[in-house]
Amino acid sequence: MNASLLQLEKVTIRFGGLTAVCELDLQIGAHELVGLIGPNGAGKTTAFNLITGVYQPTGGTIFFQGQPTANLKPHQLTRRGIARTFQNIRLFASMSVFDNVRAAVQLHRPHGIRDALWRGRGFRDGEKAVETQVMELLEIFKLGRFRAANARSLPYGEQRRLEIVRALATQPKLLLLDEPAAGMNPTEKLELTRLIRFIKDKFQIAVLLVEHDMQVVMGICERVAVLDYGVKIAEGTPAELRANPKVIEAYLGAEAR
Amino acid sequence: MTEVFQQLINGLALGAIYGLIALGYTMVYGVLRFINFAHGDVFMLGAFAGYYFAPLVNRFLPAQSYFGGALVLVLAMVVCALIGMLIEFLAYRPLRNRPKLTVLITAIGVSLFIEYTCQHAAVFGAAPRKFPDLIPATTWHIGGLVIASSQVIVLVTTLILLIALRFIVQKTKVGTAMRAVSFNEQAAVLMGVNINRIISFTFGLGSALAAAGGILYAMNYSSIEPLMGVQTGLKAFVAAVVGGIGNLPGAALGGLILGIVETFAGGIPGLSNYRDGIAFAILILILLFRPSGLLGKPQVEKV
Amino acid sequence: MNSGAKRWLLVAVAAAMAVSYFSAQFNRYYLGIAIDIGINIILAVSLNLINGHTGQFSLGHAGFMAVGGYTAAKFTLELQTISPPWAQPLLFLVALLLGGLLAAVAGLAVGVPTLRLRGDYLAIVTLGFGEIIRVFFQTTEAFGAATGLTGIPHWTTFAWAWSFAALTVFVVGCLVSSTYGRGFIAVHDDEVAAGAMGINPVRYKVTAFVIGAFFAGIAGGLYAHHKQFLSPGGFDFMKSIDIVVMVILGGMGRTAGVIVAAVLLTLLPEVLRGFADSRMIIYSLLIIVLMIARPQGLFTFGRKAAGKA
Ligand SMILES: Nc1ncnc2c1ncn2[C@@H]1O[C@H](COP(=O)(O)OP(=O)(O)OP(=O)(O)O)[C@@H](O)[C@H]1O
Ligand SMILES: [Mg+2]
């Protein structure tokens, strides 16, 4: 296989009569920041669900680090290095901010049931290390002061940020963000844009970004793919897309500016 | 061979009764998405209603007449419909939109409440009672087969009720509204459907069918007691799941399958002791291999 | 819970033994109730791992209890006569553990095939499993069929019951509060999100079922050697409901609340003894009223506190 981190080859999924994603080809390199845009119902979230193993494609193949991902469960893909956020925030509702991240950090911890019950030295050191790790992450994203608050009690923007932190805690190689700017005000959006760039550089990961806000997408993505009714109608740099009549038509010229 | 046919007839009669009760589970699940645990007890109340109505009806209609029997059946169905609506109003309505498990536990509480109240000496008492003969007791011998009139009545009544139900659900306004609610509650509300009325109606309808099941059951097994609805209710629920919960023909089909399988298993010496376990074994198998039931549509969770 | 947890366990067990040492002075009736309470705490706290923490609504706990109870009872009934008296505590311990292990196997057998099911479907299937287990004991001659097992030695003391209660609380508490154990709560809160965080929901669910069933089995063994008699009817789904009600009243997923609920609900029938006829009517009414008025449990005030195990 070639060097791309994620590769979709003619990936298709049908729900009954509806083809939500149709023969989608997409490649993402190791440290790329790629955008995926398209009108409502275009199949963007569905593409995420295919990449993360929530749905199995009806046709086509997905490769991650050169390996086909068919039949892998979502948690197995996360272990291999794909993390995501959800369009309709799915934080763990009964847990604190701290524990939301802790639940994700546990993925790469060696301690299981036996240690949790025996509570030996190694276990206690491990739990301390977890705490440090979680707090470091929270501090980077300025969420440290909320550590004990219930995750769902945070302001909306903070919840979205916490979802990103939680995804990063699984130490991904590829981060999928599903409309992270939804519901944010312009200042928050600006901050988010900076944050995404920062994440990509600091953690040295690839990011696939689904977003309706064109300023966010066009501002930070190196390359953007456009979906319409499940079909990829265009792909290129933001500048190329802005001039592409197909894209403008798909958006009825309204949002594309 | 006659043996097989005989079991088939017995199984059909039992299955028809399961089917009638299963319809109530399925309808309620359709509109409210929860298991009305107390449904089996409404079935029991139906049988007891018949027990008390029979002497009343006999005052002005000859005992053991088909017409008298039908009247008892209708009266019991009406009473149980009211009881079903009352249960919904008192216990379930305050819990609308609460977590499903809260409602499930409440339903179990309602079920226990009915059972223990009825067992109380001041109500029905715990001892079994003999159910009066509602219709002329005849048995026909065809070839080697023995067919009781009550078995024929079970099948005929069930058929009539199923046709009536189909008419109500498909052709009437309230039936259409019911289908709309179970298809998409929010959309139905937007279309101006009065949800409370529809849910109430669904409980009434389901309870009436359970009452009919109770009377038909009592006619065939001739003894009734306050806990008769526990096992029968659970099995009818299994029937609803086997057929595909939320699916009306499925409930009837599931009932028939369960009735027949159980009757045949009861006839096999080694297996007869396990009769009560068989329904659950079927349930588990169905849920493993076809979780949406025989006629139900599979559902994919949207993420 | 921190590393002091192990010390807590030792102290609790020692305390149970100390109390037990003086048990001859206690009123037999109250002692019996105290042991009942210990057993019910084991049942409720272990079910809480499945229902409360992991969110897998199980109505089959009585079935696991039956497996443990019958196994342990059969074991002691067979070996009691040929083992020397000094070996009795050891024999009992082995009987209990064996019962727990077989119950855990039953938990595995229930957990694995039911994984795909949720909510009330899972409830009804676990109920079905419980009933199948009951029917099995009811029809198997070796286990006394419909009459059940009698003449089981009276070996369950206060110390046994409460030591195992403490152990159950320790195990469930330690598991759930550890980083590893956050997985149980994650699965409870949102299975899809849990999967996306690399948590294997299947694994956690099965683990919860197996551990929960193990302790239910232990409780069954203690129960058998407390009542000295087992009948299949004692493990019908009413028994499962009783345990579920303890978990719900205690506030799903709150160990302390569940323990208090287990104590209260064990005492309730004793308090209502005077109303023998209407006792169960009151009990069922209580369930309904509480579900309508306080579905979050008796002791939960305001919003569910964050991160509470
Ligand atoms: N599980 C499912 N079953 C049936 N249809 C589905 C399912 N998931 C998605 N769809 C359909 O697939 C199409 C694409 O949906 P998707 O959520 O991927 O769109 P999207 O591009 O993310 O839109 P939005 O911008 O609104 O989030 C929609 O028509 C949706 O209804
Ligand atoms: Mg989307």
Side-chain angles (χ1 to χ4, degrees), chain C:
Chain C
M1 226 173 278
N2 49 37
S3 55
K6 248 189 325 198
R7 209 168 314 137
W8 175 88
L9 176 65
L10 292 178
V11 170
V13 170
M17 287 181 172
V19 173
S20 202
Y21 184 77
F22 298 106
S23 65
Q25 274 120 318
F26 300 149
N27 175 321
R28 290 279 302 270
Y29 170 69
Y30 290 123
L31 186 65
I33 294 176
I35 294 176
D36 284 339
I37 291 178
I39 294 174
N40 281 338
I41 289 177
I42 303 177
L43 288 170
V45 171
S46 60
L47 182 65
N48 192 30
L49 177 65
I50 305 175
N51 280 21
H53 296 300
T54 320
Q56 301 302 297
F57 200 78
S58 164
L59 280 180
H61 223 50
F64 302 139
M65 189 187 170
V67 172
Y70 271 101
T71 308
K74 191 73 191 161
F75 184 78
T76 44
L77 283 175
E78 292 295 325
L79 294 185
Q80 179 190 14
T81 45
I82 54 168
S83 79
W86 58 261
Q88 180 247 304
L90 188 68
L91 193 68
F92 189 31
L93 184 65
V94 173
L96 289 178
L97 292 180
L98 199 65
L101 281 180
L102 279 191
V105 171
L108 192 68
V110 177
V112 170
T114 55
L115 289 166
R116 282 191 294 168
L117 308 172
R118 295 201 184 142
D120 34 15
Y121 269 86
L122 180 67
I124 209 80
V125 168
T126 48
L127 189 161
F129 263 110
E131 288 290 286
I132 289 176
I133 290 174
R134 188 177 61 79
V135 169
F136 169 77
F137 286 117
Q138 197 167 312
T139 43
T140 308
E141 281 304 325
F143 291 107
T147 23
L149 290 179
T150 50
I152 306 164
H154 188 256
W155 285 350
T156 303
T157 60
F158 184 89
W160 280 104
W162 282 80
S163 298
F164 271 108
L167 183 70
T168 314
V169 174
F170 171 83
V171 167
V172 173
C174 283
L175 265 191
V176 165
S177 63
S178 71
T179 298
Y180 163 84
R182 287 291 101 185
F184 292 107
I185 325 281
V187 170
H188 166 274
D189 283 358
D190 188 332
E191 223 178 297
V192 173
M197 294 310 122
I199 291 162
N200 182 351
V202 169
R203 229 198 142 118
Y204 275 95
K205 287 190 207 171
V206 173
T207 307
F209 261 105
V210 168
I211 294 177
F214 174 80
F215 283 107
I218 298 270
L222 291 166
Y223 176 87
H225 293 81
H226 176 47
K227 303 287 176 199
Q228 299 180 266
F229 144 80
L230 286 183
S231 78
F235 301 106
D236 61 359
F237 98 101
M238 255 312 287
K239 181 73 194 171
S240 297
I241 302 281
D242 284 345
I243 311 170
V244 166
V245 170
M246 290 175 195
V247 171
I248 291 186
L249 284 196
M252 302 260 258
R254 296 163 163 278
T255 308
V258 167
I259 294 173
V260 177
V263 175
L264 289 182
L265 282 171
T266 317
L267 293 176
L268 184 73
E270 308 299 332
V271 176
L272 292 180
R273 209 158 261 275
F275 311 85
D277 291 354
S278 41
R279 186 166 97 177
M280 293 311 290
I281 302 180
I282 298 175
Y283 177 67
S284 51
L285 264 183
L286 200 72
I287 298 179
I288 302 172
V289 171
L290 281 169
M291 279 302 105
I292 294 177
R294 291 201 67 79
Q296 72 277 45
L298 276 183
F299 320 106
T300 310
F301 301 100
R303 212 189 147 87
K304 185 167 180 179
K308 209 41 193 273

Side-chain angles (χ1 to χ4, degrees), chain B residues 4-171:
Chain B
V4 173
F5 271 107
Q6 184 68 55
Q7 296 283 39
L8 195 64
I9 291 170
N10 298 347
L12 275 177
L14 180 62
I17 294 170
Y18 284 154
L20 282 178
I21 313 172
L23 284 167
Y25 279 112
T26 261
M27 281 192 286
V28 168
Y29 198 92
V31 293
L32 279 182
R33 316 260 160 229
F34 94 101
I35 303 169
N36 177 17
F37 243 88
H39 193 60
D41 302 297
V42 176
F43 156 85
M44 175 272 291
L45 290 174
F48 271 92
Y51 176 89
Y52 285 107
F53 276 129
L56 288 182
V57 167
N58 288 344
R59 279 200 204 149
F60 48 95
L61 280 176
Q64 299 180 27
S65 64
Y66 286 101
F67 193 65
L71 188 59
V72 171
L73 183 81
V74 170
L75 286 173
M77 286 173 74
V78 171
V79 167
C80 284
L82 293 176
I83 293 176
M85 289 153 93
L86 188 70
I87 293 175
E88 189 272 326
F89 182 75
L90 290 179
Y92 303 150
R93 192 164 298 182
L95 294 173
R96 205 73 62 71
N97 304 325
R98 294 271 192 85
K100 272 207 262 182
L101 295 179
T102 311
V103 192
L104 183 69
I105 295 294
T106 312
I108 292 174
V110 171
S111 165
L112 294 179
F113 177 71
I114 298 177
E115 284 157 22
Y116 286 114
T117 309
C118 292
Q119 277 176 286
H120 196 280
V123 187
F124 302 151
R129 300 183 183 201
K130 187 181 171 330
F131 193 74
D133 287 325
L134 293 184
I135 53 162
T138 343
T139 40
W140 291 289
H141 296 262
I142 304 170
L145 296 181
V146 186
I147 302 174
S149 53
S150 57
Q151 285 178 322
V152 176
I153 285 295
V154 167
L155 294 175
V156 172
T157 313
T158 306
L159 207 63
I160 295 174
L161 289 174
L162 286 183
I163 293 171
L165 179 69
R166 197 182 151 73
F167 175 78
I168 292 177
V169 172
Q170 299 290 339
K171 295 280 148 68

Side-chain angles (χ1 to χ4, degrees), chain A residues 14-16 18-21 38-49 55 87 178-179 210 212 227 230, chain B residues 300-303:
Chain A
R14 270 180 226 105
F15 298 112
L18 175 93
T19 309
V21 172
N40 286 106
K44 306 176 296 285
T45 301
T46 306
F48 270 23
N49 286 334
Y55 298 151
Q87 181 171 357
D178 201 346
E179 304 201 13
V210 163
H212 275 298
L227 279 184
Chain B
V300 189
E301 196 197 357
K302 277 201 186 184
V303 175

Side-chain angles (χ1 to χ4, degrees), chain B residues 148-299:
Chain B
S149 53
S150 57
Q151 285 178 322
V152 176
I153 285 295
V154 167
L155 294 175
V156 172
T157 313
T158 306
L159 207 63
I160 295 174
L161 289 174
L162 286 183
I163 293 171
L165 179 69
R166 197 182 151 73
F167 175 78
I168 292 177
V169 172
Q170 299 290 339
K171 295 280 148 68
T172 64
K173 222 173 127 181
V174 58
T176 313
M178 228 173 93
R179 280 184 292 141
V181 173
S182 59
F183 186 69
N184 185 336
E185 185 178 327
Q186 276 158 352
V189 173
L190 291 176
M191 301 298 289
V193 172
N194 181 339
I195 288 277
N196 282 340
R197 258 187 51 204
I198 295 305
I199 289 175
S200 198
F201 178 78
T202 308
F203 269 86
L205 198 59
S207 303
L209 292 175
I215 291 202
L216 296 176
Y217 186 91
M219 284 166 67
N220 270 275
Y221 298 88
S222 70
S223 145
I224 59 174
E225 44 108 9
L227 295 183
M228 66 188 273
V230 180
Q231 285 289 331
T232 318
L234 278 176
K235 287 177 190 165
F237 173 74
V238 171
V241 177
V242 168
I245 195 128
N247 184 308
L248 296 185
L253 178 70
L256 288 181
I257 293 178
L258 202 66
I260 291 170
V261 170
E262 225 183 63
T263 310
F264 273 96
I268 301 168
L271 228 55
S272 58
N273 283 338
Y274 290 94
R275 202 183 137 133
D276 278 347
I278 283 169
F280 294 109
I282 295 181
L283 171 75
I284 290 160
L285 288 178
I286 282 282
L287 286 177
L288 290 184
F289 296 107
R290 226 189 126 79
S292 45
L294 294 176
L295 301 187
K297 284 189 208 71
Q299 291 189 329

